[in-house]
């Protein structure tokens, strides 16, 4: 799980809304959903609007929340 969280933070920090970054972000959010057993809501559902709009501020907040909760 730590790897997924670190990868998500890295993708957000790069701030590139290219196709590859979006796919990597989705993959890692999906893995977190599977690994935690918490389902889509805390991960993808919560992130999808910010990702679709590539809202840098919202993505940074979500990434920070993930990092804080994974410690």
């Amino acid at each position: 799980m730590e790897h997924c969280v670190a990868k998500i933070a890295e993708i957000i920090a790069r701030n590139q809304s290219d196709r590859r970054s979006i796919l990597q972000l989705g993959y890692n959010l999906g893995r977190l959903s599977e690994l935690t057993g918490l389902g889509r809501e805390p991960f993808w559902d919560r992130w999808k609007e910010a990702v679709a709009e590539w809202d840098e501020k919202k993505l940074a907040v979500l990434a920070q929340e993930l990092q804080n909760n994974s410690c």
Side-chain angles (χ1 to χ4, degrees):
M1 285 189 345
E2 291 173 19
H3 172 75
C4 291
V5 172
K7 191 64 177 174
I8 290 167
E10 176 189 321
I11 293 165
I12 300 304
R14 281 194 319 242
N15 194 26
Q16 295 175 331
S17 61
D18 58 277
R19 179 177 166 83
R20 183 172 189 268
S21 294
I22 292 170
L23 291 174
Q24 283 185 314
L25 193 57
Y27 172 80
N28 283 285
L29 288 167
R31 286 295 293 146
L32 283 175
S33 175
E34 292 171 359
L35 292 170
T36 63
L38 296 174
R40 289 177 48 137
E41 197 286 319
F43 301 106
W44 188 245
D45 287 349
R46 194 155 179 246
W47 285 68
K48 64 185 173 186
E49 186 177 317
V51 172
E53 297 172 4
W54 203 262
D55 182 336
E56 299 169 40
K57 290 179 182 177
K58 181 68 175 175
L59 290 170
V61 167
L62 290 167
Q64 187 62 51
E65 288 174 4
L66 268 184
Q67 291 173 316
N68 292 343
N69 291 331
S70 70
C71 297

